[in-house]
Amino acid sequence: QVQLVESGGGLVQPGGSLRLSCAASGFTFHYYIMKWYRQAPGKERELVAAVTRDGGVKSYAESVKGRFTISRDNVRKTVYLQMNSLQLEDTAVYYCKAEDLGANIEYWGQGTQVTVSS
């Protein structure tokens, strides 16, 4: 059974930090590109960060560059999103996604809420 389970969300003040985790099971984790998305109330889901299968290449949305860091541990089958200098606009539900473009397969987690508020 395929599962992606996010954790680490919560309430944080502006300028604070959170580390999200997404634990994978039920599929061959290191075959998949891993991505973090977010969806704020009333807005479309947007791509936040992505990391290649070996972790060697990472990309970020302009809005989070320099503040967020994506990483993965293929032994632990987990992808992380370190979020620093959080801003009010970062409030959203954060989702992880696994993609195998060649096989046209993707899996989504259930999401974790991040709320930035003073």
Side-chain angles (χ1 to χ4, degrees), residues 6-67:
E6 298 99 333
S7 60
L11 174 64
V12 63
Q13 291 186 338
S17 297
L18 283 175
R19 188 194 195 205
L20 305 184
S21 299
C22 172
S25 60
F27 63 98
T28 309
F29 182 74
H30 64 270
Y31 284 0
Y32 288 74
I33 295 169
M34 296 302 297
K35 297 183 176 180
W36 284 98
Y37 285 77
R38 68 185 181 187
Q39 188 166 19
K43 295 189 177 182
E44 293 190 354
R45 194 171 295 190
E46 64 171 345
L47 177 62
V48 174
V51 61
T52 51
R53 290 177 288 184
D54 65 355
V57 179
K58 304 172 185 181
S59 60
Y60 300 93
E62 284 297 323
S63 59
V64 307
K65 272 185 183 177
R67 301 189 296 122

Side-chain angles (χ1 to χ4, degrees), residues 97-116:
K97 178 185 175 184
E99 284 185 4
D100 181 343
L101 296 176
N104 195 27
I105 296 173
E106 61 182 39
Y107 305 118
W108 287 91
Q110 83 289 349
T112 186
Q113 176 71 48
V114 171
T115 302
V116 184

Side-chain angles (χ1 to χ4, degrees), residues 59-102:
S59 60
Y60 300 93
E62 284 297 323
S63 59
V64 307
K65 272 185 183 177
R67 301 189 296 122
F68 290 11
T69 303
I70 188 171
S71 60
R72 66 188 296 163
D73 184 332
N74 285 345
V75 174
R76 290 184 168 84
K77 300 181 182 181
T78 301
V79 61
Y80 305 97
L81 187 67
Q82 177 67 43
M83 306 187 296
N84 299 329
S85 302
L86 282 161
Q87 303 169 356
L88 298 176
E89 309 83 73
D90 296 317
T91 295
V93 178
Y94 284 72
Y95 301 88
C96 67
K97 178 185 175 184
E99 284 185 4
D100 181 343
L101 296 176

